Amino acid sequence: MKFHAKKDMTFRILIWGSVLLFLGLSVGLFIPIYHEAGFAASITFSFIFGIFVIIILWLWYRTFYVVTNEHLIIHIGPFKRRVELNTIKKIEKSNVPLASVALSKERYFLYYNANDYTIIAPENIEKFVEVVNEKRKEPIRFLK
């Protein structure tokens, strides 16, 4: 089952502000740089800022979580992490502002294996935990 990432207003402003900034730089700097540095520099800077726009949008639209029979697959843009469901120890609510696959301030630490963790933020955490528990032999500890 697929769960979309929760996206709050802070991250919407941050992401779309960054997209508009880099898009503006990609287009707006082309003409002034062209006259001063030449055509190659103009194309290079426009290409670099355009790539930033593509990566940011890729992260925004391709962040989601998939629960299969044996794994939790965490997608964030071009990256993918696979966690075996049976190795998940607990899910705990957190407000720590660490960089992660969470696009919301309401985040959850997902502890797995002996000492590994990742930070997630599915839209419906209760349904997420319910689906994960259906696939496991014993339920996960969920600390709200």
Side-chain angles (χ1 to χ4, degrees):
M1 179 170 220
K2 183 177 179 179
F3 293 90
H4 294 282
K6 186 174 189 176
K7 300 170 184 174
D8 64 14
M9 190 55 70
T10 304
F11 283 88
R12 287 180 194 277
I13 292 169
L14 181 69
I15 294 293
W16 288 104
S18 298
V19 165
L20 291 175
L21 173 72
F22 287 124
L23 192 60
L25 287 171
S26 177
V27 174
L29 286 179
F30 182 78
I31 294 169
I33 290 176
Y34 176 71
H35 292 298
E36 294 294 323
F39 184 71
S42 298
I43 293 293
T44 302
F45 280 107
S46 291
F47 180 74
I48 289 170
F49 289 130
I51 293 295
F52 286 162
V53 169
I54 291 169
I55 290 171
I56 291 169
L57 289 174
W58 196 357
L59 295 174
W60 182 254
Y61 286 109
R62 292 278 302 163
T63 300
F64 58 90
Y65 315 97
V66 177
V67 178
T68 65
N69 288 331
E70 297 175 2
H71 294 94
L72 166 63
I73 304 167
I74 302 168
H75 291 265
I76 179 164
F79 308 107
K80 188 188 315 186
R81 175 179 290 163
R82 189 179 299 260
V83 177
E84 287 188 34
L85 292 180
N86 291 328
T87 64
I88 299 173
K89 307 292 185 218
K90 69 178 177 178
I91 298 175
E92 180 178 24
K93 187 173 183 174
S94 172
N95 292 322
V96 177
L98 295 174
S100 68
V101 294
L103 296 173
S104 171
K105 288 187 274 184
E106 183 181 326
R107 302 160 169 231
Y108 297 88
F109 279 108
L110 185 136
Y111 296 96
Y112 62 99
N113 292 334
N115 297 315
D116 296 328
Y117 71 91
T118 188
I119 301 173
I120 61 170
E123 281 183 333
N124 187 344
I125 188 65
E126 287 82 17
K127 181 70 174 169
F128 177 82
V129 171
E130 180 183 317
V131 169
V132 170
N133 282 335
E134 287 174 0
K135 310 282 185 187
R136 291 172 41 99
K137 295 174 186 163
E138 58 186 59
I140 299 171
R141 289 189 320 162
F142 177 50
L143 308 171
K144 293 183 183 182

